[in-house]
Amino acid sequence: MSQPRTLTINNGTPPAPTFSEMEMQRRLDALRAHMAASDINCCIFTSIHNINYFADFVYCSFGRNYALVVTQERATTISANIDGGQPWRQSYGHDNVVYTDWQRDNYFFAVAELADGRGRVGIEFDHVTLQNRTKFEAALSGAEFVDIGVATMQMRMRKSAEEQALIRQGARICDIGGAALVEAIHAGAPEYEVALHSTQAMVRAIARAYPHTELMDTWTWFQSGINTDGAHNPVTSRRVQKGDILSLNCFAMISGYYQALERTLFFDHVSDDALQLWEINCEVHRTGLTLIKPGAKCMDIAMTLNEIYAAHNLLQYRTFGYGHSFGTLCHYYGREAGLELREDIETVLEPGMVVSIEPMLMLPEGIPGAGGYREHDILIVDASGAENITHFPYGPEHNIIH
């Protein structure tokens, strides 16, 4: 029985896209200009973030491979047969090829059919596995593979007006999630119940604001007591107790775009030692907000904020850099590492960049005031400074919850 290696499944009616035709074409034009300048014949994108950025399609891999193949003439997503017509409906331009499971490595067959394998082929060195690199080389024999990941990261770091508008909505929805989270806190409340209440509020708000979009990946981490020691610690069944340090973390995901709100809270009361640590972290946060402006260098911002912690003999308890870029990223994928507020990043801030200020201290058990303290705002860099689009209050005067 002979079965096809690839298909087209143009099933149903595509929904309204996340971004305009002009915006999506702008991105592809920038990519193709880079390809021409770098003598790259075609690009094979494999990451969720780059496929989403250039095709408005967020794939669900479940162990399968996906791609976006871009030449000077065509941009085509490659998806698995298990997804039916959804990738076609979601992909910008609706140029999609489906590979089947009837033969081994049909994915690489589909890539070879679409890619111009002569000369230089761009792939994401930070995403392609060694196994897949070997299979790409076999499918595109004679091609010279070059990295496209760094160049596309630079493109994604500078947000268009349409991206900024979406991120503003996401920040607003995170504030809704934060209010819902606080509403659900009470003595004995399990972390997961508080988090569920917040997540439901955000998902419903996204559905109201973007009725055409898929609703996926929005989540909340609500941490209490010992569980606040890691910024990315998962929700547990631990129950809130009086005097607990709490960490509010709301993440609104809209069409693959990430927005976040993070706050330190205390339930019922806060000890003097904890209050002092919290106020110091808020001092770092306030100072950081003033440092975000065009012309500022990421490493200089980090060094300036280090001085405040050092003056209080707390620098050794800082757990990560002071902020990062936003856009198409998630806890499962994506990171614009060139725009992080760390001592080793020399990037200079420009209008259109979107970054967080999120200082964190973590004092381990056995030290007075033990716990993780973190605040997080989103700022859009503009010509004169930066716009803070996070409006949920922070600090002891607002976030001791009774």
Side-chain angles (χ1 to χ4, degrees):
M1 182 172 63
S2 177
Q3 296 292 344
R5 303 193 72 172
T6 61
L7 304 166
T8 56
I9 306 179
N10 301 350
N11 189 39
T13 302
T18 307
F19 299 104
S20 70
E21 172 91 13
M22 182 180 299
E23 167 65 12
M24 296 306 296
Q25 195 58 49
R26 178 194 67 80
R27 300 179 187 188
L28 287 170
D29 287 346
L31 173 62
R32 286 171 172 145
H34 174 78
M35 290 166 63
S38 303
D39 193 28
I40 296 174
N41 295 67
C42 76
C43 290
I44 304 168
F45 294 106
T46 52
S47 69
I48 293 178
H49 44 279
N50 270 328
I51 292 175
N52 184 40
Y53 185 74
F54 291 109
D56 198 19
F57 167 47
V58 180
Y59 69 75
C60 176
S61 66
F62 247 116
R64 288 180 166 87
N65 295 308
Y66 289 74
L68 169 67
V69 178
V70 180
T71 66
Q72 289 294 344
E73 297 78 28
R74 188 179 179 187
T76 310
T77 54
I78 298 175
S79 58
N81 198 13
I82 194 170
D83 294 328
Q86 183 263 357
W88 169 77
R89 293 192 298 272
Q90 293 296 137
S91 295
Y92 168 68
H94 311 298
D95 193 354
N96 170 256
V97 170
V98 174
Y99 70 92
T100 72
D101 285 349
W102 293 112
Q103 297 85 17
R104 184 181 297 275
D105 287 341
N106 281 349
Y107 166 79
F108 297 95
F109 174 83
V111 169
E113 280 196 320
L114 292 170
D116 181 354
R118 300 164 298 168
R120 290 157 60 86
V121 175
I123 60 174
E124 297 167 80
F125 282 12
D126 62 344
H127 189 264
V128 174
T129 64
L130 181 58
Q131 175 180 274
N132 284 359
R133 170 72 180 258
T134 301
K135 291 187 175 186
F136 279 142
E137 289 171 347
L140 302 170
S141 59
E144 176 193 356
F145 291 97
V146 297
D147 182 45
I148 194 65
V150 173
T152 52
M153 177 188 69
Q154 293 286 337
M155 296 175 199
R156 299 195 318 272
M157 277 165 45
R158 295 158 178 84
K159 304 300 183 292
S160 68
E162 289 190 28
E163 289 180 285
Q164 292 176 34
L166 184 146
I167 292 169
R168 283 191 180 89
Q169 283 282 5
R172 178 186 67 83
I173 290 166
C174 285
D175 287 345
I176 291 172
L181 186 149
V182 169
E183 178 182 75
I185 295 172
H186 59 83
E191 289 178 0
Y192 68 86
E193 289 291 352
V194 177
L196 283 170
H197 191 64
S198 169
T199 301
Q200 288 174 345
M202 289 190 288
V203 170
R204 289 168 177 148
I206 294 169
R208 288 192 296 270
Y210 296 91
H212 60 279
T213 193
E214 297 173 336
L215 299 168
M216 57 188 297
D217 294 334
T218 292
W219 86 102
T220 301
W221 283 323
F222 173 64
Q223 300 141 350
S224 63
I226 185 64
N227 294 333
T228 64
D229 67 344
H232 300 159
N233 290 351
V235 168
T236 75
S237 57
R238 185 187 185 278
R239 295 177 181 270
V240 173
Q241 304 168 29
K242 289 186 176 181
D244 269 350
I245 184 172
L246 309 173
S247 188
L248 174 160
N249 308 269
C250 299
F251 307 101
M253 294 295 300
I254 305 172
S255 298
Y257 273 68
Y258 165 96
Q259 291 76 215
L261 166 69
E262 301 171 18
R263 289 289 184 260
T264 300
L265 316 169
F266 276 82
F267 181 58
D268 188 71
H269 64 273
V270 55
S271 70
D272 290 343
D273 291 316
L275 180 61
Q276 183 180 25
L277 291 165
W278 192 6
E279 288 177 335
I280 292 168
N281 207 53
C282 287
E283 177 188 354
V284 175
H285 185 65
R286 282 191 297 272
T287 303
L289 296 175
T290 70
L291 298 177
I292 304 300
K293 62 187 68 174
K297 188 177 290 187
C298 291
M299 62 190 302
D300 293 343
I301 294 171
M303 295 299 290
T304 298
L305 297 179
N306 280 346
E307 293 175 3
I308 301 175
Y309 282 143
H312 294 282
N313 195 29
L314 292 170
L315 185 58
Q316 65 271 32
Y317 298 117
R318 195 202 85 179
T319 62
F320 57 86
Y322 292 99
H324 58 79
S325 181
F326 285 79
T328 176
L329 61 105
C330 179
H331 54 326
Y332 298 129
Y333 60 87
R335 195 149 187 101
E336 295 165 14
L339 189 48
E340 300 207 10
L341 305 182
R342 298 191 328 221
E343 296 85 348
D344 59 333
I345 303 297
E346 297 185 2
T347 302
V348 176
L349 297 184
E350 302 174 13
M353 290 179 171
V354 182
V355 296
S356 60
I357 281 290
E358 50 176 311
M360 179 175 177
L361 286 174
M362 194 287 285
L363 281 79
E365 292 290 288
I367 296 178
Y373 299 77
R374 187 171 67 261
E375 314 296 341
H376 179 297
D377 288 14
I378 304 173
L379 297 99
I380 299 176
V381 181
D382 56 32
S384 59
E387 175 190 0
N388 188 341
I389 60 173
T390 296
H391 301 298
F392 195 95
Y394 66 91
E397 60 269 38
H398 301 288
N399 290 329
I400 300 173
I401 310 303
H402 299 283

